[in-house]
Amino acid sequence: MEVTKVLHMNGGIGNSCYAKNSLLQVILMTKSITNKVISTLYNNLSPGETIRIVDLGCSSGPNTFLTISQLIQTIHEECKSNGQQQSPEIHVFLNDLPSNDFNTIFRLLPTFYEDLRKQNMGGDGLFVTGVAGSFYTRLFPCKTLHFVHSSYSLHWLSQVPDGIESKKGNIYMASTSPPSVVKAYYEQYERDFVNFLKYCSKELVDGGCMILTILGRKNEDRFSK
Ligand SMILES: C[S@@+](CC[C@H](N)C(=O)[O-])C[C@H]1O[C@@H](n2cnc3c(N)ncnc32)[C@H](O)[C@@H]1O
């Protein structure tokens, strides 16, 4: 079963939508690291060069915009501290699976641009593009991106491991699962992550950066949450 075809966060703006149930603190937790990365990238840009950023697994809702406004704010601050009058043009790619609610994102865009203008963070030199597709495939031409950002998305696999549906009652990892189920998930994750890195390494410019926030465990217990 391919996750690409079935997975999506609840769209829209109702009570069960992802927009109202997501974890803003995850993005805020990585803020200081993101700031450092953006500063480095900014200082390595050639004059007049557009900075190109992707948020992989952007979903639809406040987190989508929180992430990119944080990145834009950092670029503007960096620019000011360097005494520059004008920020570089910024091209932000918002990526998610085709079934993501991109319509909600696009409808919120005018308000987002307006808010940026009110905060004197431009809006004119900012270009936001939706990119529908799996990050386990190539999404961009070679050497397109300066910065790859992804939060809370890369623990989704590209597919349910082959053959797992036939293991009755053991379709996910639980303490009673046979080792073959654990192995199948482990190997699927390894394959997916290696592919992901392979594609990103082509899509990033030389010296480009990535910040990936992924769910993890603090102990050796595979079944611990
Ligand atoms: C929990 S949401 C995270 C959203 C946001 N980045 C955040 O931090 O709140 C995970 C997102 O990853 C997307 N996703 C999962 N697998 C993906 C894939 N292979 N390619 C692109 N997006 C994917 C899902 O559709 C979902 O919108």
Side-chain angles (χ1 to χ4, degrees), residues 7 9 18 57 59 63 95-97 134-136 151-153 156:
L7 176 72
M9 300 295 104
Y18 181 73
S59 195
N63 281 10
N95 157 258
D96 210 293
L97 292 171
S134 169
F135 46 58
Y136 295 124
S151 114
Y152 245 85
S153 305
W156 260 277

Side-chain angles (χ1 to χ4, degrees), residues 161-175:
D162 282 334
I164 211 95
E165 286 113 323
S166 62
K167 296 181 191 298
K168 284 195 180 131
N170 278 299
I171 57 165
Y172 73 99
M173 277 172 47
S175 52

Side-chain angles (χ1 to χ4, degrees), residues 198-216:
K198 198 170 71 188
Y199 298 139
C200 277
S201 70
K202 293 209 165 76
E203 294 167 348
L204 277 165
V205 299
D206 295 340
C209 297
M210 306 202 280
I211 295 184
L212 314 174
T213 308
I214 317 175
L215 273 181

Side-chain angles (χ1 to χ4, degrees), residues 119-157:
Q119 295 169 60
N120 286 330
M121 288 203 289
D124 294 338
L126 173 68
F127 304 91
V128 179
T129 307
V131 177
S134 169
F135 46 58
Y136 295 124
T137 63
R138 275 294 296 279
L139 295 170
F140 300 96
C142 284
K143 298 188 190 298
T144 300
L145 304 166
H146 294 91
F147 180 42
V148 171
H149 179 275
S150 181
S151 114
Y152 245 85
S153 305
L154 271 156
H155 46 272
W156 260 277
L157 300 176

Side-chain angles (χ1 to χ4, degrees), residues 36-218:
K36 263 192 214 148
V37 165
I38 288 285
S39 308
T40 311
L41 283 175
Y42 175 82
N43 289 310
N44 289 338
L45 278 185
S46 316
E49 193 176 358
T50 300
I51 184 162
R52 290 182 297 274
I53 296 171
V54 66
D55 187 29
L56 298 172
C58 64
S59 195
S60 63
N63 281 10
T64 311
F65 290 99
L66 184 66
T67 305
I68 59 174
S69 58
Q70 184 201 321
L71 299 175
I72 293 161
Q73 189 185 347
T74 313
I75 294 168
H76 276 260
E77 282 165 6
E78 196 56 38
C79 203
K80 264 199 201 148
S81 69
N82 281 294
Q84 305 276 324
Q85 293 296 318
Q86 220 175 345
S87 286
E89 290 190 329
I90 306 169
H91 194 165
V92 178
F93 298 96
L94 294 176
N95 157 258
D96 210 293
L97 292 171
S99 47
N100 184 52
D101 185 3
F102 282 100
N103 283 340
T104 294
I105 297 181
F106 295 141
R107 277 193 213 108
L108 292 172
L109 265 182
T111 318
F112 177 67
Y113 284 126
E114 192 49 43
D115 286 349
L116 285 183
R117 278 195 200 97
K118 280 187 197 148
Q119 295 169 60
N120 286 330
M121 288 203 289
D124 294 338
L126 173 68
F127 304 91
V128 179
T129 307
V131 177
S134 169
F135 46 58
Y136 295 124
T137 63
R138 275 294 296 279
L139 295 170
F140 300 96
C142 284
K143 298 188 190 298
T144 300
L145 304 166
H146 294 91
F147 180 42
V148 171
H149 179 275
S150 181
S151 114
Y152 245 85
S153 305
L154 271 156
H155 46 272
W156 260 277
L157 300 176
S158 67
Q159 62 165 82
V160 175
D162 282 334
I164 211 95
E165 286 113 323
S166 62
K167 296 181 191 298
K168 284 195 180 131
N170 278 299
I171 57 165
Y172 73 99
M173 277 172 47
S175 52
T176 52
S177 303
S180 61
V181 171
V182 178
K183 188 166 177 276
Y185 276 98
Y186 179 86
E187 287 176 355
Q188 186 63 51
Y189 189 76
E190 195 173 44
R191 258 194 308 276
D192 283 344
F193 201 63
V194 166
N195 277 335
F196 169 78
L197 292 177
K198 198 170 71 188
Y199 298 139
C200 277
S201 70
K202 293 209 165 76
E203 294 167 348
L204 277 165
V205 299
D206 295 340
C209 297
M210 306 202 280
I211 295 184
L212 314 174
T213 308
I214 317 175
L215 273 181
R217 285 189 257 110
K218 285 187 179 158

Side-chain angles (χ1 to χ4, degrees), residues 217-224:
R217 285 189 257 110
K218 285 187 179 158
N219 57 43
E220 291 291 307
D221 175 10
R222 290 173 172 163
F223 309 107
S224 153

